[in-house]
Amino acid sequence: MKFTIYAQRVFSFKFAESVEFYKDTIGLPVKFEGMDMGWVEFDLGGASLAIERQDPESEESQSYVGRYVGISIQVKDIDVVYKELLERGVEFLGPPAKQPWGGLLAHFKDPDENVITLLGSG
C-alpha cells in the first residue's frame, strides 16, 4: 500500500482575502480554483496547499482558524523570500532563525491569523 499527502488544508473565515493573499501576495500558483465551493488549491510541487472556507458562526470552526497550522513551505533562499514578502506587507513573527538541527525557519500570518512556516536550509 502506498500513501501520499494530497493537500494541506488551511481554514479561512476571510476566504476571498486569503485566496488573494496566497495567490498575489505570496505568489503561489493556483492548481484548482473553486471559489463557489469554498476550496482553492495552490501547487507546491507535490502536495497542494488548500484554502478551505469556514463558517464564522460555527463553533467547531472557531478552533480551526487563526492558529499555528503546522505547515512548512520550503524555499531555496529564505532570506531573499523573507525580504520580498516583507516588502509585500506580509506579517512575520520574526526574521529567519537558525534551528538547532541546522535549518532556518520564519513564520508568517495570513489574513485569518493562521501561522505558516517558511523553511530554508542553513
Side-chain angles (χ1 to χ4, degrees):
M1 207 179 315
K2 182 181 176 186
F3 297 93
T4 59
I5 294 175
Y6 174 75
Q8 294 289 312
R9 295 159 50 201
V10 176
F11 301 105
S12 175
F13 295 142
K14 301 175 182 177
F15 181 69
E17 186 179 344
S18 288
V19 169
E20 182 180 317
F21 173 82
Y22 285 100
K23 182 167 77 173
D24 298 332
T25 305
I26 301 298
L28 298 179
V30 175
K31 183 175 180 179
F32 173 82
E33 191 163 338
M35 294 296 286
D36 56 329
M37 300 179 338
W39 180 270
V40 173
E41 292 177 31
F42 295 94
D43 187 359
L44 295 178
S48 297
L49 177 70
I51 308 304
E52 183 177 338
R53 181 175 47 229
Q54 295 294 301
D55 177 1
E57 302 300 318
S58 164
E59 281 189 42
E60 182 181 26
S61 292
Q62 297 301 317
S63 65
Y64 295 168
V65 178
R67 62 187 181 91
Y68 176 81
V69 296
I71 295 172
S72 298
I73 299 173
Q74 189 170 17
V75 295
K76 285 187 179 185
D77 190 331
I78 195 169
D79 292 318
V80 169
V81 172
Y82 171 76
K83 288 175 188 171
E84 186 175 320
L85 293 180
L86 271 179
E87 290 172 3
R88 294 180 186 180
V90 174
E91 179 186 352
F92 279 87
L93 302 182
K98 184 91 165 177
Q99 302 302 302
W101 45 268
L104 295 165
L105 298 180
H107 308 284
F108 67 86
K109 290 184 178 183
D110 74 5
D112 283 290
E113 303 284 317
N114 292 307
V115 178
I116 306 289
T117 302
L118 289 182
L119 165 67
S121 57

